[in-house]
């Protein structure tokens, strides 16, 4: 398989062609082409494959020279005319988190985000993330949502970007498999107009149990999860139709938002 035409060998970690991969922070990648859409990084062959399958466009590849196997060559061959930077492990090992890349990184173009209405078209179960700021949690929630019956994910503007490198990595590329978007301040009202019953995950005396059979009967459900530690804003809870809590034992009163999301999606996503 001929892919050598666009391969460029890199021997110096300070080579500016590596800046996108090793030196630019997430915010700079996001704003790389302002006012046009920016870039994000996908790492490992499996994640890159899922991004390409979802229609994202590669800008350039970075690969460790001994990692150029059949799978990697097939991915590169899907992107003719895209530069492929090849470097020895001694160079790339200076990169933070190099082991996580499985020897391969890809810079990719961002795409314009769809509207809430477009993401929710035909959806029966959606997850809503309010100001979940930890990218690890966002990635884990995306993975659970894709696996456990959610049809889409909506994030408030205060959430960590689902295309941040750590979020993409933790999601194992499922961020490219489940529809998602960022909703504005009117997002909750939009969901209600679309016929969703909004379910706040919160610790309140008037909360119903997650396994309440009435919830399963709802044609369209939006499961609303809050930020780490503080949980949902009080105004969000008041705006939701139902408040739900997960039954727990041994005096435990709460779970990490990613763990709570997986339980909620499993119970409520079976429609």
């Amino acid at each position: 398989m001929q892919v050598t035409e666009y391969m460029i060998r890199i021997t110096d970690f300070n080579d500016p062609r590596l800046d996108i991969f090793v030196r630019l922070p997430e915010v700079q990648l996001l704003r790389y082409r302002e006012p046009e859409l920016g870039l994000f990084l996908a790492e490992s062959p499996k994640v890159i494959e899922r991004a390409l399958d979802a229609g994202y466009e590669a800008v350039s590849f970075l690969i460790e020279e001994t990692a150029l196997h059949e799978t990697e060559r097939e991915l590169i061959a899907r992107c003719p005319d895209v530069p492929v930077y090849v470097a020895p492990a001694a160079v790339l090992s200076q990169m933070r988190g190099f082991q996580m890349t499985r020897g391969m990184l890809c810079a990719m173009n961002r795409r314009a985000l769809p509207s809430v209405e477009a993401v929710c078209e035909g959806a029966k179960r959606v997850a809503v993330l309010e100001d979940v700021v930890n990218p690890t949690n966002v990635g884990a929630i995306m993975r659970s949502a894709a696996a456990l019956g959610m049809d889409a994910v909506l994030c408030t503007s205060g959430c960590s970007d689902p295309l941040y490198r750590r979020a993409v990595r933790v999601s194992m590329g499922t961020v490219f498999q489940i529809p998602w978007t960022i909703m504005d301040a009117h997002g909750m009202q939009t969901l209600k107009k679309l016929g969703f019953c909004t379910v706040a995950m919160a610790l309140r005396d008037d909360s119903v149990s997650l396994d309440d059979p009435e919830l399963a009967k709802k044609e369209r459900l939006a499961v609303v999860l809050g930020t780490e530690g503080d949980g949902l804003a009080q105004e969000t809870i008041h705006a939701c139709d139902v408040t739900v809590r997960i039954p727990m034992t041994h005096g435990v009163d709460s779970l990490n938002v990613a763990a709570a999301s997986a339980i909620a999606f499993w119970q409520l996503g079976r429609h």
Side-chain angles (χ1 to χ4, degrees), residues 142-217:
M142 285 282 184
R143 189 173 183 180
S144 293
L148 299 174
M150 295 294 107
D151 300 311
V153 178
L154 306 174
C155 301
T156 65
S157 59
C159 280
S160 177
D161 188 335
L163 291 183
Y164 275 0
R165 182 172 169 180
R166 183 179 293 274
V168 173
R169 175 199 305 159
V170 173
S171 83
M172 282 300 294
T174 54
V175 67
F176 308 120
Q177 295 176 305
I178 187 167
W180 65 272
T181 196
I182 306 296
M183 65 183 195
D184 61 21
H186 305 293
M188 294 298 291
Q189 294 95 310
T190 301
L191 284 172
K192 291 193 175 185
K193 290 178 181 177
L194 293 173
F196 283 90
C197 173
T198 51
V199 177
M201 300 293 297
L203 301 173
R204 284 169 52 109
D205 292 338
D206 61 350
S207 298
V208 302
S209 178
L210 183 66
D211 57 2
D212 188 315
E214 292 301 312
L215 292 174
K217 296 177 183 178

Side-chain angles (χ1 to χ4, degrees), residues 1-17:
M1 187 178 298
Q2 291 297 319
V3 293
T4 55
E5 181 180 354
Y6 297 102
M7 286 186 177
I8 302 163
R9 184 170 171 80
I10 302 290
T11 58
D12 183 356
F13 186 72
N14 295 313
D15 191 311
R17 289 172 292 190

Side-chain angles (χ1 to χ4, degrees), residues 52-65:
L52 291 175
D53 288 347
Y56 285 88
E57 296 178 348
V59 173
S60 57
F61 289 94
L62 175 63
I63 187 166
E64 195 266 306
E65 59 187 1

Side-chain angles (χ1 to χ4, degrees), residues 67 82 89 129 172 199 207 242 245:
V82 172
L129 311 187
M172 282 300 294
V199 177
S207 298
V242 185
R245 68 189 304 163

Side-chain angles (χ1 to χ4, degrees), residues 48-139:
I48 295 168
E49 180 182 28
R50 287 177 171 168
L52 291 175
D53 288 347
Y56 285 88
E57 296 178 348
V59 173
S60 57
F61 289 94
L62 175 63
I63 187 166
E64 195 266 306
E65 59 187 1
T66 64
L68 193 58
H69 306 302
E70 182 178 357
T71 297
E72 289 76 10
R73 288 178 177 273
E74 288 175 353
L75 292 174
I76 292 168
R78 291 176 61 176
C79 308
D81 304 335
V82 172
V84 180
Y85 301 118
V86 180
V91 172
L92 296 186
S93 62
Q94 300 175 63
M95 180 195 312
R96 183 178 178 182
F98 169 64
Q99 295 302 321
M100 299 291 186
T101 69
R102 301 292 191 272
M104 192 176 199
L105 277 163
C106 184
M108 310 190 91
N109 286 320
R110 286 177 175 265
R111 299 193 308 207
L113 292 174
S115 66
V116 171
E117 291 85 353
V119 165
C120 292
E121 184 177 359
K124 293 183 178 181
R125 298 292 187 266
V126 302
V128 179
L129 311 187
E130 180 183 78
D131 300 349
V132 178
V133 297
N134 186 316
T136 297
N137 282 334
V138 170

